[in-house]
Amino acid sequence: GQSLEQPSEVTAVEGAIVQINCTYQTSGFYGLSWYQQHDGGAPTFLSYNGLDGLEETGRFSSFLSRSDSYGYLLLQELQMKDSASYFCAVRVYSGAGSYQLTFGKGTKLSVIP
Amino acid sequence: NAGVTQTPKFQVLKTGQSMTLQCAQDMNHNSMYWYRQDPGMGLRLIYYSASEGTTDKGEVPNGYNVSRLNKREFSLRLESAAPSQTSVYFCASSEHPRQTGGGTEAFFGQGTRLTVV
């Protein structure tokens, strides 16, 4: 099976930078994704790392180290609208052309003025 | 495009009743997934399907059955609902990952809020 660990809650000040870490244990690892979910809404895709290194998309960046089974999501210039839950998810190859997508329990980010 | 459409959006069942949650996607994706979300538990994979006619168990399959009717549709059935199945259910779809780097994003429906009393 797969297991993912991420902090349950993080609080940060508007305009600041916050980093949400994710460690995982799995076989057949293919890549690490990040999703955002506002209360009452559906998860939406933020970023994906298939190879080691940093991926940048606007104010959001994501990092992966496959050797350390570790990744993080970096949010810069925090805005109040960034208050949401953030999930890391591993894409795992499960054989016969089939890929699982398994999520962590999520990190609730609260942005305060 | 509608993306991923789930029906119904809300449902209340009595213990022991059965129902089917419907999911359809119009993006020609190969992979489809069913998740349940409970407070503090994140999204837990119930079943997934890599292509039409194939389904695989995820982390929490007990009490559920699925059917990949065609490439567009993936339904989730509760044969005898239990209060422990009260949850928000999400359907999602994605392409298979490609070596060029595409196919990595999963698209979610708006969810079905199910209460079993």
Side-chain angles (χ1 to χ4, degrees):
Chain A
Q2 298 89 39
S3 69
L4 297 94
E5 295 290 332
Q6 55 181 125
S8 58
E9 294 183 16
V10 173
T11 300
V13 177
E14 188 177 15
I17 299 172
V18 71
Q19 178 174 313
I20 300 173
N21 298 321
C22 175
T23 58
Y24 59 88
Q25 287 187 316
T26 185
S27 55
F29 177 83
Y30 196 88
L32 183 71
S33 302
W34 290 91
Y35 287 79
Q36 178 191 61
Q37 185 181 32
H38 287 99
D39 285 347
T44 56
F45 174 82
L46 290 177
S47 69
Y48 174 83
N49 294 77
L51 301 174
D52 285 359
L54 192 68
E55 294 285 338
E56 297 180 83
T57 308
R59 294 188 296 114
F60 296 169
S61 303
S62 58
F63 172 83
L64 174 65
S65 168
R66 295 173 72 109
S67 60
D68 295 324
S69 298
Y70 163 77
Y72 66 72
L73 178 69
L74 192 72
L75 295 82
Q76 303 181 71
E77 301 173 12
L78 281 173
Q79 302 175 9
M80 299 299 291
K81 68 178 182 180
D82 296 329
S83 292
S85 292
Y86 293 84
F87 296 89
C88 59
V90 291
R91 185 70 73 101
V92 171
Y93 182 65
S94 47
S98 180
Y99 295 85
Q100 281 193 43
L101 183 62
T102 300
F103 285 76
K105 294 183 178 181
T107 299
K108 187 172 179 63
L109 171 65
S110 298
V111 180
I112 58 176
Chain B
N1 285 343
V4 180
T5 303
Q6 289 183 236
T7 55
K9 288 186 171 52
F10 300 92
Q11 184 71 49
V12 178
L13 288 179
K14 293 182 179 179
T15 297
Q17 286 185 319
S18 63
M19 79 161 295
T20 299
L21 281 64
Q22 306 287 352
C23 175
Q25 52 93 6
D26 61 3
M27 295 171 282
N28 202 36
H29 288 166
N30 289 300
S31 296
M32 297 186 74
Y33 312 84
W34 275 107
Y35 296 89
R36 61 176 290 173
Q37 186 171 35
D38 305 292
M41 298 298 292
L43 291 145
R44 291 185 291 171
L45 183 64
I46 305 172
Y47 272 93
Y48 63 106
S49 169
S51 61
E52 179 182 348
T54 67
T55 61
D56 291 287
K57 294 179 180 179
E59 180 186 356
V60 288
N62 291 345
Y64 305 95
N65 286 302
V66 290
S67 178
R68 184 75 183 266
L69 304 169
N70 47 55
K71 194 171 186 179
R72 290 188 64 249
E73 297 171 293
F74 188 38
S75 61
L76 178 72
R77 183 161 178 84
L78 288 71
E79 290 290 352
S80 179
S84 61
Q85 294 178 304
T86 293
S87 189
V88 180
Y89 291 85
F90 286 102
C91 176
S93 73
S94 70
E95 294 180 4
H96 289 165
R98 298 191 292 273
Q99 289 188 339
T100 55
T104 55
E105 177 178 356
F107 296 82
F108 283 79
Q110 288 305 303
T112 296
R113 284 149 181 81
L114 176 67
T115 302
V116 183
V117 297

